[in-house]
Amino acid sequence: MCGIAGYIGPGRAAPILLKALSRLEYRGYDSAGICTIFGGRVLTRKDVGKVAEINSRLRMDELPGNIGIAHTRWATHGAPSQVNAHPHTDCTGRIAVVHNGVIENFMALKKELVEAGHLFSSKTDTELIPHMVEEYLKRGSDLTEAFMRTLQRLEGSYALALLDAGSPDILLVARKESPLVIGIGPDFKMVASDITALLDLTRDVVFLQNGEAAFIRSDGVKILRVDTGAEIFREPTRLDITVEMAEKQGYPHYMLKEIYEQPESLKNALRIQEVYADLVAELLDRGRQIFLLGAGTSYNSCLAASYAFSSLARAATYPVIASEFISNYGASIGADTVILAVSQSGETADVLNALEYARLRACTILGITNTVGSTLTRISRAYILQNSGPEIGVAATKTFTSQVLVLSQLALRLAKLRGKIAQYEIDEIKSGLKKVPEMAGEVLDSVRLKMREVAEKLADKNTIFLLGRGPAYSVAAEGRLKIMELSYTPCIAYPAGESKHGPISVIQEGTPVIFIAPYDDNRRLNIGSMMEMKARGATIISIADRDDREIEEISDIFVGLPRVHPLLTPIIYVLPFQLLAYYMALVKGHDPDKPRNLAKSVTVL
Ligand code: G6P
């Protein structure tokens, strides 16, 4: 996730864009830049760091010119660095682009442009865009045609804005999947990734839709469909919303916003870079022992992944809590050990400490993280970015589901590499994975009210049990963490089969026991455990297959979800728990974005 903005009008563009960037920083903040056109040239200032820091060093806001584009970055392709910061330009320095999204076919397109003689200076996918526009201009297209032809070749997602020093009276923008809005002033126009960045200037906006490009002059906007070139006429909408409301996109808390971002963040998690994913799978394949290492929520995604690695790749992997690793496994590791570390921040001290120990013993270190440039990316032999964008809520939500989706894709690659499953199965699973983003959106909509009711019923309980088997146990563990973090209610999560070996003694009349009971091989056993608990007076709450009448009958409260492949259980079944925890915090009067005693990134041992 990144933030982009653009301005054209009578005012000086740079200070307006600087203000817009500070409003968009929640979308990314590892580097930023602004460029304008002045005196027939593109002038650029960009660097690594937060917007305000960069501006105090480089005075981006002092750039002259009445047209400009700007970017604040959350790196996906290429580490945060001055050269990878946006805007990016073509060989002549005449065309500049800012981009939010991921160009999936960038390797092939870049190769073609390099062969045609273009010189790239950054490691980003974005840079191919100005070069390709330059190429089409060289071949005789005018700017509009060069832009449209370039867009037609891009696969993946983008919201982008482009300037050409040769045409200082026009701003070109386009959108596919990543958001983009155009603010309409009487004598100026402004574009941005979201309305927060332009509400100060105007409340009249046009929302660009997927597959549309817009050609913006200070006195008018022309919108074309990228595929057909057909013109689209759309009246501006008048917004009645404050900047504060807009920052959370209408959601009262970042946590709820991030929960509802999952259809988008999951789509981004499906866009992992092939070469790195293959490399990670190859390195995993070489390991005699494979450990999956993480803390907090990231450990729970390791738990979920051990099912995926076993069932798909027939590989035994050991999920380990990072702080326990050295004592329990340290003496057993060596050059044939592979450690796949999972960390949203890439900075958790317990994780880094275990990895440093492992590095000194010649283990292969691999990483999955949301933060390019983090320590984890520097110490990993290979790493994969989960592409979730910044997560502001302290309790991890969208980053958990994305981690699981990335790990599942790695398990699938390892399975292929080892020849453990047939191609048709791989294809089937892949197409199932592709449906996850949409399914997540449907589930969130369908269970929201129900989970608010459940939250009210559970808010005054002293203890809550969560039970599940196999992949559903990782949901119990993550559900426990969310409820505990946000509502401060002590929770006990157990593999359902183990619950008879102790926890059952705590059950009394009315003790709430939540079963994560999808329609999988464990269903019969789950029903058995439910009966055991019910016989001791427990209140049974089931999160189960929506067509499972038998479980519905046994349950006091029943929450139905669509039938899923067990690989997807951790992603789909965790969604009701995120909402439950959120609403429990509200019912109990706690701030869901800032739970007490917790930090987003724990950098102490
Ligand atoms: C803290 C956060 C958790 C997070 C854990 C691991 O405890 O409050 O939400 O899951 O750290 O963080 P990481 O950045 O390594 O995933």
Side-chain angles (χ1 to χ4, degrees):
M1 211 157 91
C2 302
I4 70 166
Y7 173 87
I8 180 165
R12 222 156 49 73
I16 296 171
L17 290 171
L18 182 76
K19 201 161 174 203
L21 285 187
S22 64
R23 290 258 157 78
L24 291 171
E25 246 186 328
Y26 78 91
R27 300 180 63 84
Y29 42 74
D30 61 44
S31 39
I34 296 183
C35 78
T36 57
I37 301 178
F38 187 72
R41 289 174 50 216
V42 168
L43 308 176
T44 304
R45 292 185 189 168
K46 61 181 190 177
D47 208 348
V48 180
K50 300 218 161 107
V51 171
E53 291 160 20
I54 301 172
N55 197 53
S56 62
R57 275 199 309 274
L58 301 183
R59 299 308 318 192
M60 298 187 287
D61 58 339
E62 288 177 1
L63 283 168
N66 305 102
I67 175 169
I69 54 177
H71 190 269
T72 177
R73 182 165 190 245
W74 184 262
T76 53
H77 286 63
S81 67
Q82 207 263 347
V83 91
N84 287 335
H86 298 217
H88 290 285
T89 51
D90 66 332
C91 298
T92 65
R94 158 188 163 179
I95 294 160
V97 171
V98 290
H99 164 221
N100 161 215
V102 180
I103 306 301
E104 285 165 7
N105 57 339
F106 100 102
M107 296 273 232
L109 298 181
K110 181 171 175 177
K111 186 161 173 270
E112 184 185 313
L113 289 161
V114 169
E115 280 166 7
H118 291 262
L119 293 176
F120 280 70
S121 38
S122 78
K123 295 263 185 289
T124 64
D125 51 345
T126 304
E127 196 187 340
L128 77 90
I129 301 168
H131 287 286
M132 190 170 279
V133 172
E134 177 194 11
E135 183 62 27
Y136 284 122
L137 288 172
K138 255 201 304 206
R139 294 192 209 159
S141 296
D142 64 13
L143 184 62
T144 304
E145 193 188 52
F147 186 57
M148 293 291 276
R149 289 180 72 177
T150 300
L151 296 175
Q152 282 158 2
R153 302 205 52 204
L154 303 180
E155 285 166 23
S157 61
Y158 53 79
L160 58 91
L162 177 144
L163 291 180
D164 174 4
S167 309
D169 54 352
I170 186 164
L171 184 64
L172 292 82
V173 301
R175 154 172 198 204
K176 187 179 164 207
E177 292 183 26
S178 307
L180 196 72
V181 58
I182 307 171
I184 311 286
D187 55 356
F188 71 87
K189 303 288 169 282
M190 170 122 195
V191 297
S193 296
D194 79 45
I195 52 174
T196 52
L198 47 79
L199 274 180
D200 277 352
L201 293 184
T202 179
R203 290 180 176 266
D204 294 323
V205 300
V206 170
F207 290 98
L208 206 62
Q209 303 296 325
N210 276 333
E212 293 177 355
F215 299 83
I216 304 175
R217 296 175 192 273
S218 45
D219 60 354
V221 176
K222 182 172 177 177
I223 303 176
L224 301 183
R225 278 214 57 84
V226 171
D227 49 0
T228 60
E231 184 164 0
I232 290 161
F233 298 93
R234 186 169 301 134
E235 288 299 316
T237 312
R238 168 141 301 187
L239 296 173
D240 184 18
I241 176 173
T242 63
V243 172
E244 211 201 0
M245 279 154 80
E247 264 172 5
K248 292 179 189 146
Q249 285 164 19
Y251 292 102
H253 298 97
Y254 283 108
M255 183 183 178
L256 194 61
K257 170 177 164 285
E258 285 156 5
I259 289 174
Y260 275 86
E261 263 168 21
Q262 287 174 109
E264 188 193 338
S265 54
L266 286 166
K267 259 191 212 162
N268 291 337
L270 285 170
R271 295 196 176 101
I272 56 174
Q273 283 182 264
E274 303 274 322
V275 269
Y276 297 120
D278 285 338
L279 178 59
V280 168
E282 269 166 39
L283 292 167
L284 283 170
D285 188 38
R286 288 191 214 156
R288 184 183 55 85
Q289 289 174 299
I290 305 175
F291 291 103
L292 308 174
L293 200 85
T297 287
S298 297
Y299 165 70
N300 291 335
S301 32
C302 295
L303 271 178
S306 63
Y307 169 81
F309 279 107
S310 167
S311 63
L312 299 178
R314 316 284 188 258
T317 57
Y318 301 98
V320 185
I321 289 176
S323 57
E324 290 286 296
F325 184 74
I326 299 176
S327 326
N328 292 338
Y329 300 96
S332 74
I333 61 175
D336 53 3
T337 303
V338 177
I339 301 177
L340 175 54
V342 182
S343 172
Q344 187 282 129
S345 61
E347 299 295 350
T348 298
D350 288 326
V351 174
L352 299 180
N353 187 44
L355 294 182
E356 178 57 15
Y357 180 96
R359 194 181 64 81
L360 295 173
R361 281 152 189 84
C363 302
T364 301
I365 293 166
L366 306 171
I368 295 180
T369 181
N370 194 29
T371 318
V372 186
S374 59
T375 310
L376 179 58
T377 63
R378 290 200 297 273
I379 60 177
S380 300
R381 176 97 171 263
Y383 66 88
I384 305 220
L385 290 174
Q386 56 181 94
N387 295 337
S388 311
E391 192 173 57
I392 314 276
V394 167
T397 51
K398 62 175 180 172
T399 54
F400 172 76
T401 48
S402 288
Q403 285 168 348
V404 177
L405 193 51
V406 169
L407 285 158
S408 306
Q409 292 172 84
L410 288 178
L412 198 57
R413 269 161 209 267
L414 186 60
K416 188 173 177 186
L417 195 69
R418 291 189 170 180
K420 295 294 184 189
I421 54 175
Q423 187 58 43
Y424 82 91
E425 285 177 277
I426 295 180
D427 295 342
E428 241 174 60
I429 293 170
K430 268 192 179 164
S431 76
L433 293 181
K434 283 206 182 109
K435 291 188 194 128
V436 171
E438 201 183 326
M439 188 188 275
E442 284 163 18
V443 167
L444 286 169
D445 287 341
S446 69
V447 301
R448 180 169 173 171
L449 290 178
K450 182 86 184 190
M451 296 326 289
R452 204 159 70 182
E453 279 169 31
V454 178
E456 272 159 22
K457 290 194 177 127
L458 293 184
D460 62 350
K461 300 292 178 190
N462 296 328
T463 320
I464 299 172
F465 271 82
L466 297 98
L467 301 176
R469 286 178 156 85
Y473 171 62
S474 65
V475 178
E478 178 58 7
R480 162 192 57 190
L481 187 56
K482 289 298 86 110
I483 299 172
M484 256 178 1
E485 281 177 316
L486 292 157
S487 75
Y488 316 146
T489 309
C491 293
I492 300 171
Y494 252 80
E498 182 70 5
S499 62
K500 56 189 177 291
H501 299 289
I504 199 164
S505 63
V506 184
I507 303 295
Q508 290 174 339
E509 194 62 36
T511 307
V513 181
I514 309 183
F515 277 89
I516 297 100
Y519 206 98
D520 62 14
D521 293 348
N522 292 313
R523 179 174 170 273
R524 275 278 136 226
L525 291 168
N526 282 334
I527 291 175
S529 304
M530 281 178 198
M531 299 313 286
E532 282 164 19
M533 291 289 167
K534 206 175 162 72
R536 284 152 185 91
T539 299
I540 308 291
I541 302 160
S542 303
I543 317 286
D545 190 285
R546 60 165 68 123
D547 296 323
D548 200 328
R549 295 288 153 260
E550 193 176 346
I551 291 189
E552 187 172 5
E553 287 227 330
I554 300 169
S555 309
D556 298 287
I557 300 173
F558 179 81
V559 180
L561 298 184
R563 189 159 301 182
V564 291
H565 189 288
L567 198 60
L568 304 182
T569 297
I571 300 175
I572 296 300
Y573 275 68
V574 82
L575 303 172
F577 288 98
Q578 296 173 345
L579 290 168
L580 175 63
Y582 171 78
Y583 285 119
M584 282 182 75
L586 293 194
V587 174
K588 295 179 91 171
H590 308 318
D591 179 353
D593 284 339
K594 294 193 189 74
R596 73 181 179 205
N597 304 338
L598 298 177
K600 185 74 190 155
S601 175
V602 181
T603 51
V604 290
L605 289 178

